[in-house]
Amino acid sequence: MDAEAGPAGAEQLPWRQHYRNLLLLAYQSFGVVYGDLSTSPLYVYKSTFSGRLSQYQDEQTVFGVLSLIFWTFTLVPLLKYVIIVLSADDNGEGGPFALYSLLCRHAKLSLLPNQQAADEELSTYYRDGFAAHQGSSVWLRKFLEKHKKVKTGLLLVVLCGASMVIGDGVLTPAISVLSSMSGLQVRATGLQERSVVLLSCIVLVGLFSLQHRGTQKVAFMFAPIVIIWLLCIGGIGLYNIVHWNPQIYQALSPYYIIKFFRTTGTDGWIALGGILLSMTGSEAMFADLGHFTSASVRLAFIAIIYPCLTLQYMGQAAFLSKNMFHMRTSFYDSIPRPVFWPVFVVATLAAVVGSQAVISATFSIVKQCHALGCFPRVKIVHTSRWIYGQIYIPEINWILMVLCVGVTVAFGDTTLIGNAYGVACMTVMLVTTFLMSLIVIFVWQKNIIFALLFLLFFGTIEAVYLSSSLMKVHQGGWVPLVLGFIFMSVMFTWHYGSRKKYLFDLQNKVSMRSILSLGPNLGIVRVPGIGLIYTELVTGVPAIFTHFVTNLPAFHEVLVFLCVKSVPVPYVPPDERYLVGRIGPRAYRMYRCIVRYGYKDVQRDDENFENMLVMSIAKFIMMEAEDVSSSASYDIANEGRMAVIRTTEDAGTPLGMRDLSGLAESISTTRSSKSESLRSLQSSYEQESPSVGRRRRVRFELPNEDTMDQQVKDELLALVEAKHAGVAYIMGHSYIKARRSSSYVKKIVIDVCYSFLRKNCRGPSVSLHIPHISLIEVGMIYYV
């Protein structure tokens, strides 16, 4: 009997582990995903009854408002996001840019200029079961791919959504913290508004000051707070239903919505700007998906979030139906007196958690914008060794803090901030609805009718709510419009300038025929060492190379044209990251290496980058030698052929590697071709820069194999000796200017706006973690 139980228990173990992991992720999701959505009851009823609807303070109006809240909460967060949108994740990632990247890969709508056919061979590029030429909408795909203006319009829509998410990062902490702190006035009646605003600002400054510690422990620390908060408000809601009005369940009927609009008319439509606050945080739920799984997020919402918030909204409505004069502070007034202070403390903590969720989502959105060439270079800090994708961006953090405190001080009222908050949230939701309708067509390959039904149903609901919010533009709704315009202008200006710079490089690259005419020495002196020439081009030789040798007719013995580029996928597997190819015949010792990153990948300061690069080139040389047809003779028609080099496999590695980190320094320097003064300078630099001094030092060795072809052996030996001589990084220090014949608008965009952004963002050498002592910058002027 025991013998039979063993295999059965072994078979059940994976299932037990699966459900244990699912429950653990669902538990953690409360601390990161649902903080914003769960704090909405603090201000929904107050914002709804703040305008003209305050004239309709009767039980039927409260029933109508509850019915609207219930069906809005059911149709948008539950039906649209939890059931439908969460299924459109991009390899586990969510948000507007995740949807955009899916579209760019499945319908070729990307404006990223340096894409290659080899990128489509990535294992994470297409969804399983996708067929490029299937579906009933091939004509629509061809139309969109053909017209550049349509692609630009789609990018603008995505940037609009991204800028509004950043706007949420400003408004969510302000309204959440201010709403929770306003509860003090319920018991401390003598407390003035400015004192509440001051306390809120102190909490906000503390919140943003702690962001540099990262969100590694946020899930475990904050999840219990949100769960306690949800159980508290769910229990209080149930108490208020039983105590004040048990008949409140009748308001769940849609009949009360019709009755509400018959009674209130235009005033009821304007009040929708407050009701929509019940679904704010739904977009953050999708944007933060990358830290969890769709199954865990769904489980947490259906099991805890939906029932607890529904009970709270019903209980608050039951209280208001019998206590109309408590409309302004309905949430805190509905709390039984014995538990008021514990609930207030939990509410304040929950507001901080809600703010944390949106701030983390803002960091992720900015990182994605930057990776896709739509945001200036900023410092991105990876805050966790174990949880991939958790980042912190100092510049964005302090900008958000200043704007958030400014909004809190300027308005000082949750109603005005709620008006602004509603405009931002509904704009993001409309963008998601539009992108999802395209996902249904091009990624899921469903009939276009399903996409139209999705767009019309949810788009109509959200458009009605947005129209109500826009009626309050003069009452705070202008804030997200101004913020969105500023961020969107920054993103589009950066994208436009970067694209023009790339097109200039593409049009002015050096032809291979002119390179071949120079001979193996390229008409210059070849000195020992490896020269890494950074370029955005994936084919051809950049103009920076000729500009350099024209002014200094000497270059390194081994030349590597290095392109670090972003691919519209969330992650690139390490084994598929490196593409290596040859430029010119073997005697030229010129190679091309393309390093690919996804929009969620963090480009860390990899201490072994130089070593991995040398090993990748050595593997390429061996792979090429095995291919007799490609190694026999050079054919200019084969220029641009690249090979994927798997860096994690030791098989096929022709070089041995000996660690010199623990040996005496003399061992690593006696055979170096560097001068004594240069070695002294490097030593002092490493003492001042401990991170450089701690880099792993290795020495490559070529094994003695008689079977190896002599030409291959000579090429590998030249590569090893060049590596031991040293590696220099050559990068263009570019100045971009508009041509004299350009329009006045283009001159302002390029010469003023784009130039300002380039001067005030991080330099490319810093972003790429290039050691300064090995950096050579070549000045160039681009007339675009």
Side-chain angles (χ1 to χ4, degrees):
M1 185 173 181
D2 292 339
E4 295 178 358
E11 291 178 2
Q12 293 176 1
L13 184 61
W15 288 100
R16 291 178 180 176
Q17 186 68 31
H18 170 73
Y19 287 118
R20 187 181 297 114
N21 292 339
L22 179 64
L23 292 174
L24 179 62
L25 288 173
Y27 165 77
Q28 291 177 327
S29 69
F30 288 102
V32 176
V33 175
Y34 290 116
D36 184 16
L37 191 63
S38 64
T39 54
S40 296
L42 288 170
Y43 42 78
V44 169
Y45 282 102
K46 176 186 175 182
S47 297
T48 303
F49 285 97
S50 62
R52 296 180 183 176
L53 204 65
S54 59
Q55 302 172 8
Y56 304 87
Q57 294 191 4
D58 56 76
E59 185 174 286
Q60 294 302 314
T61 304
V62 173
F63 274 43
V65 169
L66 173 60
S67 186
L68 276 167
I69 291 174
F70 172 76
W71 286 107
T72 298
F73 190 63
T74 301
L75 291 176
V76 179
L78 178 60
L79 179 59
K80 176 189 168 183
Y81 279 93
V82 173
I83 296 179
I84 300 177
V85 175
L86 287 183
S87 301
D89 64 289
D90 183 13
N91 294 289
E93 296 298 323
F97 266 97
L99 299 179
Y100 179 64
S101 69
L102 273 174
L103 290 172
C104 289
R105 302 199 307 268
H106 293 79
K108 293 181 174 58
L109 300 176
S110 175
L111 286 174
L112 285 175
N114 55 359
Q115 300 304 293
Q116 303 169 274
D119 297 337
E120 300 181 20
E121 299 175 4
L122 288 168
S123 58
T124 55
Y125 199 84
Y126 290 116
R127 287 175 70 97
D128 294 337
F130 173 79
H133 300 290
Q134 290 184 2
S136 60
S137 56
V138 177
W139 61 272
L140 181 59
R141 178 186 289 110
K142 291 182 179 179
F143 173 79
L144 296 178
E145 293 175 353
K146 182 179 179 181
H147 294 82
K148 182 182 175 182
K149 291 184 178 180
V150 176
K151 297 180 182 179
T152 304
L154 180 63
L155 177 64
L156 287 174
V157 170
V158 176
L159 293 182
C160 177
S163 62
M164 287 300 176
V165 171
I166 299 175
D168 282 350
V170 175
L171 298 171
T172 299
I175 191 172
S176 298
V177 174
L178 190 59
S179 297
S180 64
M181 299 304 292
S182 63
L184 289 171
Q185 293 179 301
V186 175
R187 292 292 180 263
T189 54
L191 193 66
Q192 298 181 352
E193 289 283 349
R194 57 186 180 184
S195 300
V196 174
V197 171
L198 178 61
L199 290 174
S200 301
C201 290
I202 293 174
V203 173
L204 289 171
V205 171
L207 171 66
F208 283 101
S209 299
L210 293 174
Q211 290 300 311
H212 69 280
R213 296 184 178 272
T215 55
Q216 175 186 342
K217 298 181 180 179
V218 165
F220 276 101
M221 289 174 56
F222 288 173
I225 296 173
V226 177
I227 293 175
I228 293 172
W229 163 252
L230 288 166
L231 295 177
C232 283
I233 62 177
I236 292 170
L238 184 62
Y239 166 81
N240 286 328
I241 293 172
V242 176
H243 185 265
W244 294 106
N245 193 347
Q247 304 301 316
I248 196 70
Y249 71 90
Q250 298 176 3
L252 302 184
S253 170
Y255 166 75
Y256 284 93
I257 297 178
I258 301 173
K259 196 172 181 179
F260 172 80
F261 284 113
R262 283 179 180 173
T263 304
T264 59
T266 306
D267 296 337
W269 168 61
I270 296 175
L272 291 177
I275 293 172
L276 68 85
L277 296 177
S278 62
M279 55 181 170
T280 55
S282 302
E283 191 63 38
M285 174 175 62
F286 181 47
D288 285 327
L289 181 62
H291 301 298
F292 308 98
T293 62
S294 56
S296 62
V297 173
R298 287 189 176 110
L299 176 63
F301 186 91
I302 295 173
I304 303 292
I305 298 290
Y306 187 76
C308 287
L309 289 182
T310 301
L311 284 174
Q312 168 55 212
Y313 286 126
M314 291 177 66
Q316 211 172 145
F319 173 80
L320 285 174
S321 65
K322 304 300 180 182
N323 302 274
M324 293 294 179
F325 54 90
H326 288 282
M327 199 69 70
R328 182 170 175 79
T329 53
S330 59
F331 175 81
Y332 286 106
D333 286 336
S334 67
I335 301 174
R337 294 186 67 89
V339 296
F340 174 83
W341 287 111
V343 173
F344 170 77
V345 172
V346 176
T348 304
L349 295 175
V352 174
V353 175
S355 305
Q356 177 66 53
V358 179
I359 294 171
S360 299
T362 303
F363 291 156
S364 297
I365 287 292
V366 171
K367 171 67 174 69
Q368 293 172 19
C369 292
H370 169 260
L372 295 177
C374 297
F375 205 88
R377 292 179 292 269
V378 291
K379 183 179 182 180
I380 299 175
V381 181
H382 197 71
T383 58
S384 174
R385 294 181 179 178
W386 300 278
I387 304 176
Y388 198 76
Q390 292 189 356
I391 58 174
Y392 163 68
I393 305 177
E395 296 95 329
I396 299 300
N397 181 68
W398 302 125
I399 290 174
L400 290 180
M401 187 192 76
V402 171
L403 292 175
C404 188
V405 172
V407 167
T408 305
V409 173
F411 290 118
D413 182 15
T414 55
T415 301
L416 295 176
I417 301 176
N419 295 338
Y421 192 26
V423 173
C425 288
M426 294 317 302
T427 303
V428 177
M429 288 184 178
L430 267 174
V431 169
T432 300
T433 300
F434 172 71
L435 294 176
M436 269 301 303
S437 63
L438 296 179
I439 291 290
V440 172
I441 299 173
F442 299 123
V443 181
W444 292 352
Q445 297 185 316
K446 303 296 183 182
N447 195 293
I448 195 172
I449 295 177
F450 293 105
L452 290 175
L453 289 175
F454 180 89
L455 180 63
L456 289 175
F457 182 74
F458 292 107
T460 301
I461 295 174
E462 291 159 0
V464 170
Y465 277 111
L466 180 61
S467 64
S468 172
S469 297
L470 292 176
M471 294 297 294
K472 301 179 181 179
V473 168
H474 62 288
Q475 298 177 352
W478 58 270
V479 173
L481 298 179
V482 172
L483 290 177
F485 176 78
I486 293 174
F487 283 112
M488 189 173 173
S489 299
V490 168
M491 289 188 284
F492 189 75
T493 299
W494 185 263
H495 177 268
Y496 177 78
S498 301
R499 183 175 175 81
K500 287 294 182 182
K501 177 179 177 294
Y502 176 83
L503 292 176
F504 180 91
D505 275 332
L506 193 63
Q507 294 167 2
N508 293 274
K509 66 180 181 180
V510 184
S511 67
M512 278 308 303
R513 296 190 184 277
S514 61
I515 292 290
L516 293 175
S517 65
L518 298 176
N521 287 330
L522 302 177
I524 56 177
V525 178
R526 303 293 288 268
V527 298
I530 296 178
L532 293 183
I533 306 170
Y534 277 84
T535 174
E536 295 180 4
L537 298 178
V538 293
T539 59
V541 177
I544 182 181
F545 175 72
T546 55
H547 190 69
F548 183 91
V549 297
T550 301
N551 293 275
L552 183 64
F555 226 102
H556 298 83
E557 184 179 1
V558 174
L559 298 180
V560 181
F561 293 89
L562 185 64
C563 174
V564 180
K565 73 169 191 174
S566 294
V567 186
V569 296
Y571 303 103
V572 175
D575 271 347
E576 302 176 39
R577 193 177 302 281
Y578 286 84
L579 281 174
V580 180
R582 185 186 296 281
I583 298 178
R586 177 175 293 174
Y588 283 58
R589 303 290 191 260
M590 295 170 64
Y591 308 94
R592 182 184 309 283
C593 181
I594 298 175
V595 187
R596 302 178 291 185
Y597 289 95
Y599 61 79
K600 292 287 287 185
D601 280 323
V602 177
Q603 301 179 23
R604 302 185 184 183
D605 184 7
D606 195 343
E607 299 178 357
N608 296 318
F609 174 74
E610 293 178 4
N611 301 329
M612 291 177 65
L613 185 64
V614 171
M615 293 297 289
S616 299
I617 296 175
K619 285 185 178 181
F620 168 78
I621 294 172
M622 294 298 295
M623 289 174 59
E624 189 185 47
E626 294 172 0
D627 186 358
V628 180
S629 61
S630 63
S631 60
S633 61
Y634 174 75
D635 185 358
I636 195 171
N638 293 330
E639 185 66 36
R641 289 180 56 183
M642 309 286 289
V644 178
I645 305 298
R646 300 187 180 277
T647 56
T648 59
E649 294 181 359
D650 292 333
T653 303
L655 301 180
M657 194 164 54
R658 186 157 55 95
D659 197 337
L660 298 179
S661 300
L663 301 179
E665 186 180 354
S666 58
I667 298 179
S668 61
T669 58
T670 52
R671 299 180 183 178
S672 175
S673 62
K674 295 179 181 179
S675 64
E676 185 67 31
S677 59
L678 185 58
R679 291 201 299 268
S680 175
L681 178 64
Q682 182 174 3
S683 177
S684 61
Y685 175 77
E686 291 175 353
Q687 291 177 1
E688 296 177 1
S689 304
S691 60
V692 177
R694 289 195 301 267
R695 286 178 179 267
R696 184 187 178 194
R697 301 187 180 188
V698 300
R699 184 171 185 84
F700 291 98
E701 296 176 342
L702 188 63
N704 294 322
E705 294 185 8
D706 297 333
T707 58
M708 185 180 295
D709 183 77
Q710 187 61 39
Q711 286 187 338
V712 175
K713 194 170 185 179
D714 292 343
E715 189 173 7
L716 290 174
L717 185 61
L719 178 65
V720 170
E721 290 178 349
K723 173 62 175 70
H724 294 162
V727 179
Y729 298 79
I730 296 93
M731 177 173 288
H733 189 84
S734 54
Y735 299 88
I736 292 88
K737 294 183 178 294
R739 294 176 181 172
R740 294 182 179 179
S741 58
S742 302
S743 64
Y744 185 69
V745 175
K746 183 178 179 179
K747 288 181 179 179
I748 292 178
V749 172
I750 297 295
D751 295 344
V752 179
C753 301
Y754 184 70
S755 177
F756 174 81
L757 293 176
R758 282 184 62 88
K759 290 178 181 178
N760 290 276
C761 71
R762 290 169 65 86
S765 61
V766 179
S767 299
L768 294 169
H769 309 290
I770 297 174
H772 293 290
I773 195 171
S774 304
L775 176 63
I776 302 172
E777 290 190 303
V778 183
M780 285 193 67
I781 299 179
Y782 289 70
Y783 288 100
V784 298

